[in-house]
Amino acid sequence: MTHATSVVILGGGPGGYEAALVAAHLGADVTVVDCDGLGGAAVLTDVVPSKTLIGTADYLGGFETAAHLGVRLEDHEGDELTRARAELGAVNARIRDLAEAQSSDIATRLGEVGVRVVRGRGRLVSATRVLVETDAGTETVDADVVLVATGATPRVLPTAQPDGERILTWKQLYDLPELPERLIVVGSGVTGAELAQAYLGLGSDVTLVSSRELVLPQEDQDAAAVIEDVFRRRGMTILNRSRMAAAERRGDGVVVTLEDGREVEGSHVLIAVGAVPRTEGIGLEEVGIDLTGSGHVDVDRVSRTSVRGVYAAGDCTGVFPLASVAAMQGRTAMAHALGDAVTPLRMSAVSSNVFTDPEIATVGVSAADAEANSDIEAVMMPLSRNPRAKMLGIREGFVKLFAYRGTGTVLGGVIVAQRASELIFPVAIAVQNRLSVDQVASTSTVYPSLTGTVAESARRLHPTQR
Ligand SMILES: Cc1cc2nc3c(=O)[nH]c(=O)nc-3n(C[C@H](O)[C@H](O)[C@H](O)COP(=O)(O)OP(=O)(O)OC[C@H]3O[C@@H](n4cnc5c(N)ncnc54)[C@H](O)[C@@H]3O)c2cc1C
């Protein structure tokens, strides 16, 4: 009788639990070791909480467009309502409940397919053995295949130590009993920008400290300009080209000191200056696994590390810090390790989204790629001309498409719109399947619809119609 391949997975986030499901499906004997809760940071502190919070902020934002759409909000005595308010205690309770429910759904799903879950902190003692420290003591688990999916944790600066009350990481936001009156957000990357706008929408007075010329420096610059403009119009204070030197509590508030000596006062500060991989102290280097200069696990496109039989997935690899990519890497690793058909990760077809309002959704090549390569052409169409956008009162946003000049193959796109995360899918299908602009343009769209502008953009890239 042959033995099932034994797989041990360190970390129960999307990189780990998706891999566990695939490995179990392929007949392996699977153990998941996790120290903080199934679903990982993605479910418990990062994706699910932030997107749920943003959901409430978006809902409140709807009241702002009410008058524009001809709606008058009244109380039961017919007096006009001028604002709606979020009760943060209730919002946070809902967030925590949702996160816990999702974590428990994952536990049920893993249980159903026979995956063993060990609650504890694991570390490699060899390429085929993991030592787990649990509340009850230590346990050793042997494995034919190991997957490291330990994620990342917020970067903490020595001069701005989080205290969980007023100086906060994004993981500590959901225990706040009341809305921060004056919130300073340090860092204008995706996390900083999303949360700054969410709290602004919930009613906080928000100051965003951004070290760059424009917020969201890693995103399409036309898109970032739209978002920065929306932020300012809605009343956010943005301090561009400003770097935090330190953050401290002073009186019953906080003071952020900038490198040029200016001081910014607030009631709370959220530090969102990036994340560091959780790869220290878990035996990786000791067993010969190569780490990059930033401490990430070095992996190839099928998630192999430098040690045979040991794979890595998700934020600990630094490939693209997204839950969707972590899951893809984990599934690919297991398919490779267990001899199933493997599709190597193709970063050029990964979709991502910034959940601001409007959202920025992106797939494939960027404007910078297009600028550097004269074979790539781009078209950008504002949504304000789209009939559906007009009906819905959408005034900002655009669709940008990139294609090969000669063949018309769609290479990428950027959509700035409400729910852009839902609209980018047709562009992603085109990129993934190397469709031409003509194929996209000749696909039927609903009239009126925002995706009409995707088809129209593709039409504009047809060589004979320019
Ligand atoms: C605020 C915020 C919002 C985000 N929003 C999105 C989004 O909208 N969409 C998106 O795709 N991505 C989003 N991300 C990114 C996403 O959260 C990560 O890419 C994702 O969590 C990575 O999954 P992972 O499995 O690698 O790690 P994690 O989700 O971090 O899970 C790792 C797990 O491993 C456990 N672990 C660590 N070390 C050990 C050990 N030694 N032993 C046992 N267990 C261990 C941890 O406790 C954790 O449970 C967001 C990130 C942040 C910060």
Side-chain angles (χ1 to χ4, degrees), residues 9-17 33-48 50-51 118 120-123 132 149-153 170-171 174 190-191 194-195 275 278 280-282 313-317 320-327 329 353 355:
I9 298 174
L10 265 192
Y17 74 75
V33 180
D34 190 277
C35 55
D36 293 328
L38 288 176
V43 168
L44 296 171
T45 55
D46 297 359
V47 188
V48 171
S50 65
K51 262 78 265 186
V118 180
R121 188 171 298 278
R123 81 184 149 82
V132 190
T150 48
T153 189
W170 60 78
K171 294 185 188 297
Y174 308 102
V190 177
T191 298
E194 287 184 353
L195 290 169
R278 292 177 77 170
E280 257 185 40
I282 54 171
D315 283 10
C316 68
T317 68
F320 199 159
L322 285 179
S324 49
V325 172
Q329 285 180 291
N353 193 63
F355 289 82

Side-chain angles (χ1 to χ4, degrees), residues 343-368:
T343 313
L345 190 64
R346 212 176 119 213
M347 292 309 295
S348 59
V350 170
S351 315
S352 63
N353 193 63
V354 183
F355 289 82
T356 42
D357 175 22
E359 298 177 354
I360 306 174
T362 309
V363 65
V365 301
S366 65

Side-chain angles (χ1 to χ4, degrees), residues 126-128 144-146 287-289 304-311 336:
S126 74
T128 55
D144 300 310
V145 174
V146 172
V287 303
I289 294 171
R304 280 181 296 197
T305 69
S306 53
V307 170
R308 196 180 163 82
V310 182
Y311 293 74
H336 187 272

Side-chain angles (χ1 to χ4, degrees), residues 200-256:
L200 184 76
L202 295 175
S204 295
D205 182 10
V206 175
T207 300
L208 181 60
V209 177
S210 170
S211 61
R212 309 294 274 273
E213 200 70 42
L214 204 56
V215 300
L216 293 165
Q218 309 300 328
E219 301 301 316
D220 180 274
Q221 290 297 280
D222 292 320
V226 171
I227 299 304
E228 180 157 327
D229 186 46
V230 169
F231 281 4
R232 288 188 196 280
R233 223 169 338 112
R234 294 197 190 155
M236 192 186 296
T237 303
I238 303 175
L239 304 177
N240 300 102
R241 296 178 301 280
S242 301
R243 276 184 185 278
M244 178 189 73
E248 58 173 339
R249 282 180 78 144
R250 204 181 284 173
D252 55 3
V254 292
V255 174
V256 170

Side-chain angles (χ1 to χ4, degrees), residues 159-180:
T159 54
Q161 291 285 334
D163 61 10
E165 288 179 359
R166 291 189 179 273
I167 303 178
L168 305 157
T169 70
W170 60 78
K171 294 185 188 297
Q172 297 169 328
L173 292 169
Y174 308 102
D175 288 324
L176 287 178
E178 278 167 22
L179 196 64

